Amino acid sequence: MSAVNGAGRTKSIGAILAGFAVTRCLLLLCVFRVLVAPGPDVTSDVNVIYQGWYEVLRTGTYPLDDVTWQYPPAAALAILAPGAVPFLGYPSAFFVLAFLADCAVFGLLLYAGGRAGKSRTGAWVWVWGVPLLGPTAYARYDLMVTAVAVAALLAGVRRPRVLGALTAFGALLKVWPVLLLARAPRRAWATAAVTAGGFLLLCHAVAPGAFAFLTFQRERGTEVESLGALVFHVARHFGWQGHVQLNYGSVEFLGPYVPLVSTLAMGLTAVAFGWLLLWRLRARDSAPGTLADAAFTAVLLFTTTSRVISPQYLIWLVGLAAVCLVFPGSPMARPAKLVLAAAGATLLEFPLFFSHVVASDWLGVLLLFVRNGLLVAASVSACRRLWRATVPAPVGAARMVLTAQASRSRT
C-alpha cells in the first residue's frame, strides 16, 4: 500500500512539474516576442518605463521628475536588479528574473504542500493562475513582490518575526504586503516596524527622492479597469462628456464627477478596512491557515475597492490564494476559484480586447462587468467565510443551530 501511495505522489508531482514547465515556456515565448499575442505590447513597460527608471536610479537618485514613479523606495532594487545579470540586455534580464521569482514561488508552494498535513492544491493554483494572466505576469515586477509575500506567509506560521521582516520589505517594494499583518501577532508587527523604519532611513540617506512617490500616488484618478470606472463606461452611452487619457502612468477617465467617484472609491476602501478592524477585534478561533486567509481577504478587499485595478494586481491574489490552499480545509477555496476566473477574464480585457475597454463598447463593458463582478463576489465570499470560521456565534444563535441539528438528526 505504501508503494502505491508513493507512486501516486510521484505521479502527482510529475504532473505539477509538467504543467509548470509547459505554461512557463509559453509565457517566456510571449515576452521574448517569439509568440505574439493580440492587443498592445505588454512588454513596453519594461522596455521603456522600467529601463528609463533604471538609467535614472543608477545615477544615485530616484526619478524625481517622473510622475509614473509611484512606488516605495525598495522598488528601486527590483528595477536595478536586471543590471546585475551578465550578458543580457535590460528587458531580457528582467524577464529572466521574473521567471526565477515565479520558480521560487512554485518551489515554496510545492515544498510546503508536501509536508505532513498540507496540500499541493496551492501549487496547482499557482501553476494555472499565473498563465491565466498571459505575458503581463512576466512584464511587471509584481511577481517579485508576490514571491516575498508568499515566503512571508509560509514562514510566518511558525516564525512571526520572519513574517514581520519579510512583510516590511515587501511593503517597501509595493505597499500592499503590509496587509499580510491583518492577523499577525504583535511580535510580527514590532519587527515589521523596526525593519521598515531602518530601511526607510537608509534609502533616504543613500538617494534623494525616496518619498517622492507619495505625491505622485495621491494624484491618481479612476483607472478605466476599476470598479468605479464602470459608472463612466455606462455613462458614456448616455452623453457623459468626459474622456479617456493616459494619466499618471495609467489609462484613466477625466471629466465631470471623476473626482467624486474616486473619493467614493477611497471611502469604500475605508469601509473595507473598518470591517477588517472589527473582524480583528471579534475573531477568537484560529487555525494554522488563518494567517493566510486573513491576508488574502484583506488584499482582495483592497484590490476590489481600489481606484486602480491593473491586470498585474491579480498576481497578488493568485499567490495569496495559493498559500491559503496549502492548508487543507481552508475556507478560501471558493474565493480562490473566483479569483482564478477573474484572472482569466483579466486576460481577455487586457491585453486581448483592451481597445474595446478604452472605447467603452458593449464587449469592453461586458468584460469589465464580468471581471469586476467576480472580484466583488470573491470579496464578499471571503469576508463571510473568514468571519464564520473565526468569530464565535452568539450564545443564542449557537443554541438555535444546535437545536436545529438535533431536530434533523431525530427525523
Side-chain angles (χ1 to χ4, degrees):
M1 182 63 72
S2 61
V4 173
N5 291 337
R9 285 194 296 270
T10 302
K11 185 177 180 180
S12 174
I13 294 174
I16 295 175
L17 292 173
F20 183 82
V22 170
T23 55
R24 273 41 180 193
C25 282
L26 289 174
L27 286 180
L28 288 170
L29 290 173
C30 287
V31 293
F32 281 107
R33 306 293 287 172
V34 177
L35 298 176
V36 180
D41 178 12
V42 300
T43 64
S44 62
D45 275 27
V46 178
N47 299 331
V48 179
I49 299 176
Y50 286 10
Q51 191 162 1
W53 291 339
Y54 169 78
E55 297 299 336
V56 175
L57 288 165
R58 65 189 298 201
T59 67
T61 182
Y62 286 90
L64 298 174
D65 300 320
D66 188 346
V67 297
T68 62
W69 177 260
Q70 301 167 8
Y71 307 106
L77 299 177
I79 302 302
L80 288 169
V85 180
F87 313 120
L88 289 177
Y90 185 89
S92 298
F94 184 91
F95 300 143
V96 169
L97 290 177
F99 169 67
L100 292 177
D102 186 6
C103 291
V105 175
F106 177 64
L108 287 170
L109 292 168
L110 196 61
Y111 173 76
R115 302 183 69 178
K118 300 298 189 295
S119 169
R120 290 199 174 96
T121 304
W124 276 115
V125 169
W126 185 253
V127 165
W128 297 114
V130 172
L132 280 175
L133 291 166
T136 303
Y138 278 11
R140 305 291 187 272
Y141 84 91
D142 295 78
L143 229 166
M144 304 170 190
V145 185
T146 303
V148 175
V150 168
L153 286 176
L154 291 175
V157 174
R158 296 184 178 181
R159 300 176 180 88
R161 296 192 186 280
V162 175
L163 167 66
L166 288 175
T167 295
F169 180 62
L172 292 175
L173 283 169
K174 206 168 185 181
V175 181
W176 67 264
V178 72
L179 297 170
L180 303 183
L181 299 173
R183 185 56 175 168
R186 292 180 180 177
R187 284 176 294 168
W189 281 88
T191 303
V194 171
T195 303
F199 198 91
L200 285 172
L201 288 175
L202 178 64
C203 290
H204 182 68
V206 169
F211 302 103
F213 76 99
L214 294 172
T215 300
F216 300 149
Q217 184 64 241
R218 187 177 62 244
E219 299 299 328
R220 298 192 77 167
T222 297
E223 189 252 351
V224 295
E225 298 165 274
S226 65
L227 186 63
L230 285 170
V231 173
F232 301 112
H233 282 294
V234 174
R236 291 176 88 179
H237 294 272
F238 295 93
W240 179 68
Q241 297 301 310
H243 62 282
V244 172
Q245 180 178 311
L246 183 62
N247 192 53
Y248 285 94
S250 63
V251 182
E252 299 180 354
F253 279 114
L254 298 176
Y257 306 109
V258 172
L260 174 61
V261 170
S262 296
T263 301
L264 290 174
M266 289 188 286
L268 192 58
T269 300
V271 170
F273 285 163
W275 181 90
L276 281 171
L277 177 60
L278 177 63
W279 168 79
R280 171 85 190 206
L281 295 173
R282 294 285 303 277
R284 294 291 180 272
D285 301 331
S286 184
T290 301
L291 178 71
D293 296 338
F296 173 61
T297 302
V299 176
L300 185 54
L301 287 171
F302 170 80
T303 302
T304 304
T305 60
S306 176
R307 292 172 294 168
V308 179
I309 306 181
S310 295
Q312 62 268 23
Y313 291 9
L314 273 293
I315 298 173
W316 318 342
L317 300 177
V318 169
L320 299 187
V323 176
C324 290
L325 297 191
V326 165
F327 300 92
S330 168
M332 296 298 141
R334 181 176 177 82
K337 292 177 183 177
L338 291 170
V339 163
L340 289 178
T346 298
L347 176 61
L348 294 177
E349 63 93 358
F350 184 90
L352 298 186
F353 299 109
F354 191 60
S355 61
H356 294 272
V357 172
V358 173
S360 300
D361 63 21
W362 68 268
L363 177 59
V365 175
L366 176 62
L367 289 174
L368 279 184
F369 263 109
V370 171
R371 198 283 299 273
N372 291 347
L374 288 167
L375 289 178
V376 170
S379 300
V380 173
S381 177
C383 288
R384 291 180 61 187
R385 288 165 178 263
L386 182 64
W387 188 278
R388 289 177 177 176
T390 58
V391 177
V395 176
R399 288 176 178 172
M400 291 176 63
V401 171
L402 291 174
T403 301
Q405 291 176 345
S407 298
R408 286 196 295 270
S409 64
R410 286 196 296 270
T411 57

